[in-house]
Amino acid sequence: MSAATRAVILGLVCAGAASAALAQMTARLRTFDSELVVDASPNTPQLASFGYPGQPLWKNRTSEVLIPFVEISRTQVPCNWTFNTAASHADGNRVVFVYESSNPHLRLSWEWRTREAYGPLEHYIRIENLDTRELWIPMQDSLAFDWQIDPREPLQQLFVEKGANTPSAAGTHEVSFENGLHWIGTSSTYGDIKESDSREIIPWTLIEKKDSARGGWYAGIEFSGRTRIALAREGNSLKGALGLDPDPAPFRTRLAPGEAFDSPVVFLGGFRDGPDAAGNTLRRWVRAVLGNPDTWKNPNYPLVVNNSWGGGMEVNEQIALRMIRDSAELGVDMFHVDAGWFRDVGDWYPNPQKFPHGLAVIADDAHKHGLKFGLWVDWTQAGLSTEHGALNARDPKVRDWMVTDVPADWKPEPFKGQTIDLGVPAARQWAGQEVERIVTDYHLDMLEHDGYLVAHGCARTDHPHAAPDPLNQCVYKTWGAYFVDSSNSTDVSYHAVQAYYDIYSQMRKKHPGLFLEVCNDGGRMVDFGSAAHGDYFSITDTYDPLSNRRAFFDTSHVLPAAMLESYVEKWPTPRIENFRYMLRSGMMGWLTIMTDTNAWSAEQHAEAKKEIDLYKKELRAFIRDASLYHVSPRPDGVHWDGIEYWDAERKRGVVFAFRGNGEEKTHAFLLQGLVPSAHYSVQFYDHSGTDRQISGEDLMHDGLGVTLDVANSSELIFIQQSK
Ligand SMILES: [Zn+2]
């Protein structure tokens, strides 16, 4: 930790050694771009102020609201929170204020910490049951505040949707946050499970002051369960709350004696110079703090992948071996077998008709060809197979793991079954062993999880989560499976997500270097909790060039580009320019090709090989390490759009330029991050323009002009600062 991070205990006021209850404490934590002051009052802690160093601070008008009661045997027992000075702690990286309640006997730790010398600060609350009785606790937000604001101050909010299913027409929302506006953004692992559901957000939002500094704050949630962020502006108040989703109410969760509730970890960061500057800090922080060091150590991360889904469920040994040969010829890094390889849903053994020699021989063949080997698995789904080792939804030993009994006429879909509740200890143990078996027996370098990993809600009354309210419970069928909506949905997700994290943490310990892809039906589990437990995300479930670019545009506001996977599917490409446009629409982050490459023409094949080579030699380094700027409006398929990467250390960058199907043949991209007085050599990779020298001033104010004659085409423009 560098000298930029400090905590200073500003004051420690004790009314006397014997009356620690009256003690108060104030402390400060700081990183390069975020600083806060926290106070411990006798009965409640408070985030007093927060901001970007040197900018006006955001002053908080309220203390944290701690749970006012617990339930014991269905009776509310009030908590009497008292500050415990001796148990509290403040140092350069961490402040913990401890509050205790004597009867019921509870300990609450209210913690802030720095994780890096730059970037946001993390916060969470832990409530431990020190009582001898089982307790039920109500909703405890991770963080709530009430900033004092100038009623006339213009504020702008930014939030981004998940690319779940298909990116919507909006995706990235920039909203003038006016007086009277109340906003709630929610996240779960489901996205639009019902048509009436609103779009889910990546659990993060940003508020920017519309002045010359373009500063403000952003906050996000490191958890994949049901969470929400709420903001409300009224007069001189901007209230915010982040944490588990309290809707449907009432939330309650069980704490046996000795157990603890951990609120989802949230982070709060300051910034100036607008959202891309905030994003460039946050992406670097996510990589350093949440990312897997073993993954980032691999110089080939992000990988280029060839995936078998271009042929759908038809994959077999012959197809796989042919694809491996072609993958090696194309120069990709990994061969990825998608759905279709298994005996049945829940029966995760190779189909003997398709893979008579098993899967390990396929993996070994990939390895012989210098490729890594990845596999799709829907490992929380049960089916009806009666083979040994299969998870059968009707097996009396495991039937209770399903969120509800499935009717007699139920059948799984070809690659989707009934989700088990991972929060049940026996289910979690089975799943952990099954994932371990799959990774070991099939010689995997990568495991992709799909389907719905986390139960939506649960009708069972004998699981660790709260029982559902039988009068307010809805069981319905969608996508061939049964889902439950009830007041316990948030608590169900709280337990199941912790089990998922636990299983993947174990996998990482046992298999360093194993890649974990978070798919979950395409872009529905994109959040900072899964960023801490997986290595890359499928960011949408729609794979045409426009959807891929839209999902990338949205998601890249908050997550490292290397973690953002686009699947490139078959798309009409009458001209080679269209073919490059199709490939490059998935080449700004992690590239997975999902089309039958053996069906490409010789010209397309040669072109793809050249593009993959370029990705590995030039583009990958930018995707890993460079700053990223959104240098156009969000892609609409008609107008031009583009992304700029700029690596300030190497003084080198690239602009991905895309022309839509509109009439406009020429476009100027206003670049960012350059030095106005410096000169830059500009090189058009496809030779659509003449290579030349341009000043930083011109590139940032007049723009980088690009001309493309063909609709749905692209260009890559490399930029090098002259010495
Ligand atoms: Zn359950």
Side-chain angles (χ1 to χ4, degrees), residues 330-380:
L330 283 165
V332 310
D333 302 303
M334 178 156 74
F335 174 58
H336 175 183
V337 172
D338 211 297
W341 61 270
F342 43 85
R343 286 196 302 222
D344 206 345
V345 171
D347 185 3
W348 308 118
Y349 290 80
N351 180 322
Q353 278 81 48
K354 291 180 173 182
F355 292 95
H357 305 99
L359 271 186
V361 294
I362 309 292
D364 295 348
D365 189 63
H367 294 151
K368 260 184 246 151
H369 283 82
L371 305 170
K372 292 198 176 291
F373 181 68
L375 190 67
W376 174 103
V377 187
D378 218 347
W379 55 264
T380 57

Short mmCIF file of all heavy atoms in Angstrom, two decimals, residues 330-380:
data_model
loop_
_atom_site.label_atom_id
_atom_site.label_comp_id
_atom_site.label_asym_id
_atom_site.label_seq_id
_atom_site.Cartn_x
_atom_site.Cartn_y
_atom_site.Cartn_z
N LEU A 330 -6.25 -22.01 -37.55
CA LEU A 330 -6.62 -20.59 -37.44
C LEU A 330 -5.80 -19.84 -36.40
O LEU A 330 -5.79 -18.61 -36.38
CB LEU A 330 -8.11 -20.47 -37.07
CG LEU A 330 -9.12 -20.72 -38.19
CD1 LEU A 330 -10.51 -20.93 -37.60
CD2 LEU A 330 -9.12 -19.56 -39.18
N GLY A 331 -5.17 -20.57 -35.50
CA GLY A 331 -4.34 -19.92 -34.49
C GLY A 331 -5.08 -19.52 -33.22
O GLY A 331 -4.60 -18.69 -32.46
N VAL A 332 -6.27 -20.11 -32.97
CA VAL A 332 -6.97 -19.75 -31.73
C VAL A 332 -6.27 -20.41 -30.54
O VAL A 332 -5.43 -21.30 -30.71
CB VAL A 332 -8.48 -20.13 -31.77
CG1 VAL A 332 -9.15 -19.64 -33.02
CG2 VAL A 332 -8.68 -21.63 -31.61
N ASP A 333 -6.64 -19.98 -29.33
CA ASP A 333 -5.99 -20.46 -28.11
C ASP A 333 -6.72 -21.62 -27.45
O ASP A 333 -6.12 -22.37 -26.67
CB ASP A 333 -5.91 -19.34 -27.07
CG ASP A 333 -5.16 -18.12 -27.58
OD1 ASP A 333 -4.00 -18.28 -27.97
OD2 ASP A 333 -5.75 -17.02 -27.60
N MET A 334 -8.03 -21.73 -27.70
CA MET A 334 -8.80 -22.74 -26.96
C MET A 334 -9.92 -23.29 -27.83
O MET A 334 -10.55 -22.56 -28.59
CB MET A 334 -9.39 -22.13 -25.69
CG MET A 334 -10.25 -23.09 -24.87
SD MET A 334 -10.36 -22.63 -23.12
CE MET A 334 -11.44 -21.22 -23.21
N PHE A 335 -10.18 -24.58 -27.68
CA PHE A 335 -11.35 -25.20 -28.30
C PHE A 335 -12.37 -25.45 -27.19
O PHE A 335 -12.05 -26.02 -26.14
CB PHE A 335 -10.95 -26.52 -28.98
CG PHE A 335 -12.14 -27.28 -29.50
CD1 PHE A 335 -13.00 -26.70 -30.42
CD2 PHE A 335 -12.41 -28.57 -29.05
CE1 PHE A 335 -14.11 -27.39 -30.89
CE2 PHE A 335 -13.52 -29.27 -29.51
CZ PHE A 335 -14.37 -28.67 -30.44
N HIS A 336 -13.60 -25.05 -27.44
CA HIS A 336 -14.63 -25.01 -26.39
C HIS A 336 -15.83 -25.84 -26.87
O HIS A 336 -16.48 -25.47 -27.84
CB HIS A 336 -15.00 -23.53 -26.18
CG HIS A 336 -16.12 -23.27 -25.22
ND1 HIS A 336 -16.59 -22.00 -24.98
CD2 HIS A 336 -16.85 -24.09 -24.45
CE1 HIS A 336 -17.58 -22.06 -24.11
NE2 HIS A 336 -17.77 -23.30 -23.77
N VAL A 337 -16.09 -26.95 -26.19
CA VAL A 337 -17.26 -27.77 -26.51
C VAL A 337 -18.47 -27.21 -25.76
O VAL A 337 -18.46 -27.14 -24.53
CB VAL A 337 -17.02 -29.25 -26.14
CG1 VAL A 337 -18.32 -30.05 -26.28
CG2 VAL A 337 -15.94 -29.85 -27.02
N ASP A 338 -19.47 -26.81 -26.51
CA ASP A 338 -20.70 -26.24 -25.94
C ASP A 338 -21.70 -27.37 -25.66
O ASP A 338 -21.35 -28.56 -25.72
CB ASP A 338 -21.26 -25.18 -26.90
CG ASP A 338 -21.99 -24.07 -26.17
OD1 ASP A 338 -23.00 -24.38 -25.51
OD2 ASP A 338 -21.56 -22.90 -26.25
N ALA A 339 -22.93 -27.02 -25.39
CA ALA A 339 -23.96 -28.01 -25.07
C ALA A 339 -24.07 -29.07 -26.17
O ALA A 339 -23.76 -28.79 -27.33
CB ALA A 339 -25.31 -27.32 -24.86
N GLY A 340 -24.53 -30.27 -25.81
CA GLY A 340 -24.72 -31.33 -26.79
C GLY A 340 -23.83 -32.53 -26.56
O GLY A 340 -24.05 -33.59 -27.15
N TRP A 341 -22.85 -32.43 -25.67
CA TRP A 341 -21.87 -33.50 -25.48
C TRP A 341 -22.31 -34.55 -24.47
O TRP A 341 -21.76 -35.65 -24.41
CB TRP A 341 -20.53 -32.90 -25.01
CG TRP A 341 -20.65 -32.18 -23.70
CD1 TRP A 341 -20.94 -30.85 -23.51
CD2 TRP A 341 -20.51 -32.73 -22.38
NE1 TRP A 341 -21.00 -30.55 -22.18
CE2 TRP A 341 -20.73 -31.68 -21.45
CE3 TRP A 341 -20.22 -34.00 -21.89
CZ2 TRP A 341 -20.67 -31.87 -20.07
CZ3 TRP A 341 -20.16 -34.19 -20.51
CH2 TRP A 341 -20.38 -33.13 -19.62
N PHE A 342 -23.30 -34.26 -23.63
CA PHE A 342 -23.63 -35.06 -22.45
C PHE A 342 -24.72 -36.08 -22.74
O PHE A 342 -25.40 -36.02 -23.75
CB PHE A 342 -24.08 -34.13 -21.31
CG PHE A 342 -25.03 -33.06 -21.80
CD1 PHE A 342 -26.38 -33.30 -21.92
CD2 PHE A 342 -24.54 -31.81 -22.20
CE1 PHE A 342 -27.25 -32.35 -22.39
CE2 PHE A 342 -25.41 -30.85 -22.69
CZ PHE A 342 -26.76 -31.11 -22.79
N ARG A 343 -24.89 -37.03 -21.78
CA ARG A 343 -25.93 -38.06 -21.95
C ARG A 343 -27.32 -37.43 -21.85
O ARG A 343 -28.20 -37.72 -22.63
CB ARG A 343 -25.77 -39.13 -20.86
CG ARG A 343 -24.58 -40.05 -21.09
CD ARG A 343 -24.66 -41.33 -20.24
NE ARG A 343 -24.74 -41.09 -18.81
CZ ARG A 343 -24.07 -41.79 -17.89
NH1 ARG A 343 -23.26 -42.77 -18.27
NH2 ARG A 343 -24.20 -41.54 -16.62
N ASP A 344 -27.49 -36.54 -20.87
CA ASP A 344 -28.80 -35.93 -20.65
C ASP A 344 -28.61 -34.76 -19.67
O ASP A 344 -27.57 -34.68 -19.01
CB ASP A 344 -29.76 -36.98 -20.04
CG ASP A 344 -31.22 -36.67 -20.36
OD1 ASP A 344 -31.51 -35.52 -20.78
OD2 ASP A 344 -32.06 -37.57 -20.17
N VAL A 345 -29.64 -33.92 -19.55
CA VAL A 345 -29.56 -32.84 -18.56
C VAL A 345 -29.42 -33.45 -17.17
O VAL A 345 -30.14 -34.40 -16.83
CB VAL A 345 -30.82 -31.94 -18.63
CG1 VAL A 345 -30.85 -30.96 -17.47
CG2 VAL A 345 -30.87 -31.21 -19.95
N GLY A 346 -28.50 -32.95 -16.39
CA GLY A 346 -28.26 -33.49 -15.05
C GLY A 346 -27.40 -34.73 -15.05
O GLY A 346 -27.02 -35.22 -13.99
N ASP A 347 -27.09 -35.24 -16.23
CA ASP A 347 -26.32 -36.48 -16.38
C ASP A 347 -25.07 -36.11 -17.16
O ASP A 347 -24.97 -36.33 -18.37
CB ASP A 347 -27.19 -37.50 -17.13
CG ASP A 347 -26.51 -38.86 -17.24
OD1 ASP A 347 -25.41 -39.02 -16.68
OD2 ASP A 347 -27.09 -39.75 -17.89
N TRP A 348 -24.12 -35.51 -16.45
CA TRP A 348 -22.98 -34.84 -17.10
C TRP A 348 -21.85 -35.81 -17.39
O TRP A 348 -20.73 -35.67 -16.91
CB TRP A 348 -22.52 -33.65 -16.25
CG TRP A 348 -23.66 -32.73 -15.90
CD1 TRP A 348 -24.12 -32.44 -14.64
CD2 TRP A 348 -24.50 -31.99 -16.80
NE1 TRP A 348 -25.20 -31.59 -14.71
CE2 TRP A 348 -25.45 -31.29 -16.02
CE3 TRP A 348 -24.57 -31.87 -18.19
CZ2 TRP A 348 -26.43 -30.47 -16.58
CZ3 TRP A 348 -25.55 -31.04 -18.75
CH2 TRP A 348 -26.46 -30.36 -17.94
N TYR A 349 -22.20 -36.82 -18.19
CA TYR A 349 -21.22 -37.80 -18.68
C TYR A 349 -21.31 -37.78 -20.19
O TYR A 349 -22.40 -37.55 -20.75
CB TYR A 349 -21.54 -39.20 -18.13
CG TYR A 349 -21.29 -39.32 -16.64
CD1 TYR A 349 -22.23 -38.83 -15.73
CD2 TYR A 349 -20.11 -39.87 -16.15
CE1 TYR A 349 -22.01 -38.90 -14.35
CE2 TYR A 349 -19.89 -39.96 -14.78
CZ TYR A 349 -20.83 -39.47 -13.89
OH TYR A 349 -20.60 -39.55 -12.53
N PRO A 350 -20.19 -38.06 -20.90
CA PRO A 350 -20.23 -37.97 -22.37
C PRO A 350 -21.24 -38.94 -22.97
O PRO A 350 -21.32 -40.10 -22.53
CB PRO A 350 -18.81 -38.33 -22.79
CG PRO A 350 -17.97 -38.31 -21.57
CD PRO A 350 -18.87 -38.40 -20.38
N ASN A 351 -22.00 -38.46 -23.91
CA ASN A 351 -22.95 -39.30 -24.64
C ASN A 351 -22.15 -40.36 -25.41
O ASN A 351 -21.34 -40.02 -26.27
CB ASN A 351 -23.73 -38.39 -25.61
CG ASN A 351 -24.74 -39.16 -26.42
OD1 ASN A 351 -24.49 -40.29 -26.84
ND2 ASN A 351 -25.88 -38.53 -26.65
N PRO A 352 -22.38 -41.67 -25.12
CA PRO A 352 -21.53 -42.71 -25.72
C PRO A 352 -21.70 -42.84 -27.23
O PRO A 352 -20.78 -43.28 -27.91
CB PRO A 352 -21.95 -43.98 -25.00
CG PRO A 352 -23.29 -43.70 -24.41
CD PRO A 352 -23.38 -42.22 -24.18
N GLN A 353 -22.87 -42.45 -27.74
CA GLN A 353 -23.04 -42.49 -29.20
C GLN A 353 -22.18 -41.40 -29.86
O GLN A 353 -21.60 -41.61 -30.91
CB GLN A 353 -24.51 -42.27 -29.60
CG GLN A 353 -25.37 -43.52 -29.52
CD GLN A 353 -25.83 -43.78 -28.09
OE1 GLN A 353 -26.31 -42.87 -27.42
NE2 GLN A 353 -25.66 -45.01 -27.63
N LYS A 354 -22.11 -40.25 -29.23
CA LYS A 354 -21.39 -39.13 -29.83
C LYS A 354 -19.89 -39.18 -29.51
O LYS A 354 -19.07 -38.80 -30.33
CB LYS A 354 -21.95 -37.81 -29.31
CG LYS A 354 -23.36 -37.50 -29.80
CD LYS A 354 -23.80 -36.16 -29.21
CE LYS A 354 -25.13 -35.71 -29.79
NZ LYS A 354 -25.51 -34.40 -29.25
N PHE A 355 -19.60 -39.58 -28.28
CA PHE A 355 -18.19 -39.59 -27.84
C PHE A 355 -17.85 -40.98 -27.30
O PHE A 355 -17.72 -41.17 -26.09
CB PHE A 355 -17.96 -38.50 -26.79
CG PHE A 355 -18.07 -37.12 -27.34
CD1 PHE A 355 -19.26 -36.41 -27.25
CD2 PHE A 355 -16.99 -36.52 -27.98
CE1 PHE A 355 -19.36 -35.13 -27.78
CE2 PHE A 355 -17.09 -35.25 -28.52
CZ PHE A 355 -18.28 -34.56 -28.43
N PRO A 356 -17.70 -41.97 -28.22
CA PRO A 356 -17.48 -43.35 -27.77
C PRO A 356 -16.19 -43.51 -26.97
O PRO A 356 -16.07 -44.45 -26.18
CB PRO A 356 -17.42 -44.15 -29.08
CG PRO A 356 -17.19 -43.14 -30.17
CD PRO A 356 -17.76 -41.85 -29.68
N HIS A 357 -15.24 -42.62 -27.15
CA HIS A 357 -13.98 -42.73 -26.40
C HIS A 357 -13.90 -41.73 -25.25
O HIS A 357 -12.84 -41.51 -24.69
CB HIS A 357 -12.80 -42.54 -27.35
CG HIS A 357 -12.84 -43.47 -28.52
ND1 HIS A 357 -13.32 -43.10 -29.76
CD2 HIS A 357 -12.52 -44.79 -28.62
CE1 HIS A 357 -13.27 -44.13 -30.58
NE2 HIS A 357 -12.79 -45.17 -29.93
N GLY A 358 -15.04 -41.08 -24.95
CA GLY A 358 -15.05 -40.13 -23.83
C GLY A 358 -14.60 -38.74 -24.25
O GLY A 358 -14.36 -38.45 -25.44
N LEU A 359 -14.50 -37.87 -23.26
CA LEU A 359 -14.14 -36.48 -23.54
C LEU A 359 -12.66 -36.20 -23.32
O LEU A 359 -12.09 -35.31 -23.94
CB LEU A 359 -14.93 -35.54 -22.62
CG LEU A 359 -16.29 -35.04 -23.10
CD1 LEU A 359 -16.80 -34.01 -22.10
CD2 LEU A 359 -16.21 -34.41 -24.49
N ALA A 360 -12.05 -36.98 -22.41
CA ALA A 360 -10.64 -36.70 -22.09
C ALA A 360 -9.77 -36.84 -23.35
O ALA A 360 -8.81 -36.08 -23.53
CB ALA A 360 -10.15 -37.63 -20.99
N VAL A 361 -10.14 -37.77 -24.24
CA VAL A 361 -9.33 -37.94 -25.46
C VAL A 361 -9.46 -36.70 -26.37
O VAL A 361 -8.52 -36.34 -27.08
CB VAL A 361 -9.71 -39.21 -26.26
CG1 VAL A 361 -9.38 -40.46 -25.48
CG2 VAL A 361 -11.16 -39.20 -26.69
N ILE A 362 -10.62 -36.08 -26.32
CA ILE A 362 -10.81 -34.84 -27.10
C ILE A 362 -9.93 -33.74 -26.50
O ILE A 362 -9.24 -33.01 -27.22
CB ILE A 362 -12.30 -34.40 -27.09
CG1 ILE A 362 -13.22 -35.56 -27.50
CG2 ILE A 362 -12.51 -33.18 -27.97
CD1 ILE A 362 -13.10 -36.00 -28.93
N ALA A 363 -9.99 -33.64 -25.16
CA ALA A 363 -9.15 -32.63 -24.49
C ALA A 363 -7.67 -32.88 -24.81
O ALA A 363 -6.92 -31.94 -25.12
CB ALA A 363 -9.37 -32.70 -22.98
N ASP A 364 -7.28 -34.16 -24.77
CA ASP A 364 -5.86 -34.47 -25.02
C ASP A 364 -5.47 -34.13 -26.45
O ASP A 364 -4.35 -33.68 -26.71
CB ASP A 364 -5.59 -35.96 -24.72
CG ASP A 364 -5.80 -36.29 -23.24
OD1 ASP A 364 -5.93 -35.33 -22.44
OD2 ASP A 364 -5.88 -37.48 -22.89
N ASP A 365 -6.41 -34.36 -27.38
CA ASP A 365 -6.12 -34.00 -28.77
C ASP A 365 -5.97 -32.48 -28.92
O ASP A 365 -5.07 -32.00 -29.62
CB ASP A 365 -7.24 -34.51 -29.69
CG ASP A 365 -6.87 -34.35 -31.15
OD1 ASP A 365 -5.88 -34.99 -31.58
OD2 ASP A 365 -7.53 -33.55 -31.85
N ALA A 366 -6.84 -31.73 -28.23
CA ALA A 366 -6.70 -30.26 -28.24
C ALA A 366 -5.33 -29.86 -27.69
O ALA A 366 -4.62 -29.04 -28.27
CB ALA A 366 -7.81 -29.62 -27.43
N HIS A 367 -4.95 -30.47 -26.58
CA HIS A 367 -3.66 -30.15 -25.98
C HIS A 367 -2.51 -30.47 -26.93
O HIS A 367 -1.55 -29.70 -27.05
CB HIS A 367 -3.49 -30.92 -24.65
CG HIS A 367 -4.46 -30.48 -23.60
ND1 HIS A 367 -4.93 -31.31 -22.61
CD2 HIS A 367 -5.09 -29.28 -23.40
CE1 HIS A 367 -5.78 -30.65 -21.84
NE2 HIS A 367 -5.90 -29.42 -22.30
N LYS A 368 -2.62 -31.60 -27.66
CA LYS A 368 -1.57 -31.98 -28.62
C LYS A 368 -1.44 -30.93 -29.72
O LYS A 368 -0.36 -30.73 -30.27
CB LYS A 368 -1.90 -33.34 -29.24
CG LYS A 368 -1.14 -34.48 -28.61
CD LYS A 368 -1.45 -35.79 -29.34
CE LYS A 368 -2.21 -36.73 -28.41
NZ LYS A 368 -3.09 -37.66 -29.06
N HIS A 369 -2.55 -30.29 -30.02
CA HIS A 369 -2.54 -29.26 -31.05
C HIS A 369 -2.21 -27.88 -30.48
O HIS A 369 -2.38 -26.86 -31.15
CB HIS A 369 -3.90 -29.20 -31.77
CG HIS A 369 -4.09 -30.30 -32.76
ND1 HIS A 369 -4.50 -31.58 -32.41
CD2 HIS A 369 -3.90 -30.32 -34.11
CE1 HIS A 369 -4.57 -32.33 -33.50
NE2 HIS A 369 -4.21 -31.61 -34.54
N GLY A 370 -1.77 -27.85 -29.22
CA GLY A 370 -1.37 -26.57 -28.63
C GLY A 370 -2.53 -25.73 -28.16
O GLY A 370 -2.38 -24.52 -27.92
N LEU A 371 -3.71 -26.35 -28.01
CA LEU A 371 -4.91 -25.60 -27.61
C LEU A 371 -5.31 -25.95 -26.18
O LEU A 371 -5.06 -27.06 -25.71
CB LEU A 371 -6.09 -25.96 -28.53
CG LEU A 371 -5.89 -25.79 -30.02
CD1 LEU A 371 -7.06 -26.41 -30.76
CD2 LEU A 371 -5.78 -24.31 -30.36
N LYS A 372 -5.97 -25.01 -25.54
CA LYS A 372 -6.63 -25.33 -24.28
C LYS A 372 -8.00 -25.92 -24.60
O LYS A 372 -8.49 -25.80 -25.73
CB LYS A 372 -6.75 -24.08 -23.41
CG LYS A 372 -5.39 -23.59 -22.92
CD LYS A 372 -5.51 -22.67 -21.74
CE LYS A 372 -4.16 -22.26 -21.20
NZ LYS A 372 -3.43 -23.38 -20.56
N PHE A 373 -8.59 -26.57 -23.58
CA PHE A 373 -9.87 -27.24 -23.80
C PHE A 373 -10.89 -26.76 -22.77
O PHE A 373 -10.65 -26.81 -21.57
CB PHE A 373 -9.69 -28.76 -23.69
CG PHE A 373 -10.95 -29.53 -23.91
CD1 PHE A 373 -11.54 -29.56 -25.17
CD2 PHE A 373 -11.57 -30.21 -22.87
CE1 PHE A 373 -12.72 -30.28 -25.38
CE2 PHE A 373 -12.74 -30.94 -23.08
CZ PHE A 373 -13.32 -30.96 -24.34
N GLY A 374 -12.03 -26.28 -23.27
CA GLY A 374 -13.10 -25.78 -22.39
C GLY A 374 -14.39 -26.54 -22.61
O GLY A 374 -14.60 -27.15 -23.66
N LEU A 375 -15.26 -26.53 -21.59
CA LEU A 375 -16.50 -27.32 -21.65
C LEU A 375 -17.66 -26.55 -21.02
O LEU A 375 -17.53 -25.94 -19.96
CB LEU A 375 -16.30 -28.64 -20.89
CG LEU A 375 -17.41 -29.68 -21.03
CD1 LEU A 375 -17.48 -30.22 -22.47
CD2 LEU A 375 -17.20 -30.83 -20.04
N TRP A 376 -18.81 -26.65 -21.71
CA TRP A 376 -20.08 -26.10 -21.22
C TRP A 376 -20.71 -27.11 -20.27
O TRP A 376 -20.81 -28.29 -20.60
CB TRP A 376 -20.98 -25.89 -22.43
CG TRP A 376 -22.39 -25.46 -22.17
CD1 TRP A 376 -22.89 -24.20 -22.32
CD2 TRP A 376 -23.51 -26.26 -21.74
NE1 TRP A 376 -24.24 -24.18 -22.02
CE2 TRP A 376 -24.64 -25.44 -21.66
CE3 TRP A 376 -23.65 -27.62 -21.41
CZ2 TRP A 376 -25.90 -25.89 -21.28
CZ3 TRP A 376 -24.91 -28.08 -21.02
CH2 TRP A 376 -26.02 -27.22 -20.95
N VAL A 377 -21.18 -26.64 -19.10
CA VAL A 377 -21.94 -27.50 -18.19
C VAL A 377 -23.03 -26.67 -17.52
O VAL A 377 -22.82 -25.52 -17.16
CB VAL A 377 -21.06 -28.14 -17.09
CG1 VAL A 377 -21.86 -29.15 -16.28
CG2 VAL A 377 -19.85 -28.85 -17.68
N ASP A 378 -24.16 -27.30 -17.32
CA ASP A 378 -25.31 -26.68 -16.66
C ASP A 378 -25.44 -27.34 -15.29
O ASP A 378 -26.45 -27.95 -14.99
CB ASP A 378 -26.54 -27.02 -17.54
CG ASP A 378 -27.52 -25.89 -17.62
OD1 ASP A 378 -27.40 -24.95 -16.82
OD2 ASP A 378 -28.41 -25.96 -18.47
N TRP A 379 -24.41 -27.20 -14.46
CA TRP A 379 -24.25 -28.13 -13.35
C TRP A 379 -25.21 -27.98 -12.17
O TRP A 379 -25.14 -28.77 -11.22
CB TRP A 379 -22.79 -28.16 -12.86
CG TRP A 379 -22.17 -26.85 -12.47
CD1 TRP A 379 -21.39 -26.06 -13.25
CD2 TRP A 379 -22.23 -26.19 -11.19
NE1 TRP A 379 -20.97 -24.95 -12.55
CE2 TRP A 379 -21.47 -25.01 -11.29
CE3 TRP A 379 -22.86 -26.47 -9.98
CZ2 TRP A 379 -21.33 -24.11 -10.23
CZ3 TRP A 379 -22.72 -25.58 -8.92
CH2 TRP A 379 -21.96 -24.41 -9.05
N THR A 380 -26.11 -27.00 -12.20
CA THR A 380 -27.12 -26.95 -11.12
C THR A 380 -28.48 -27.46 -11.59
O THR A 380 -29.47 -27.30 -10.91
CB THR A 380 -27.34 -25.53 -10.59
OG1 THR A 380 -27.73 -24.70 -11.69
CG2 THR A 380 -26.11 -24.97 -9.93
#
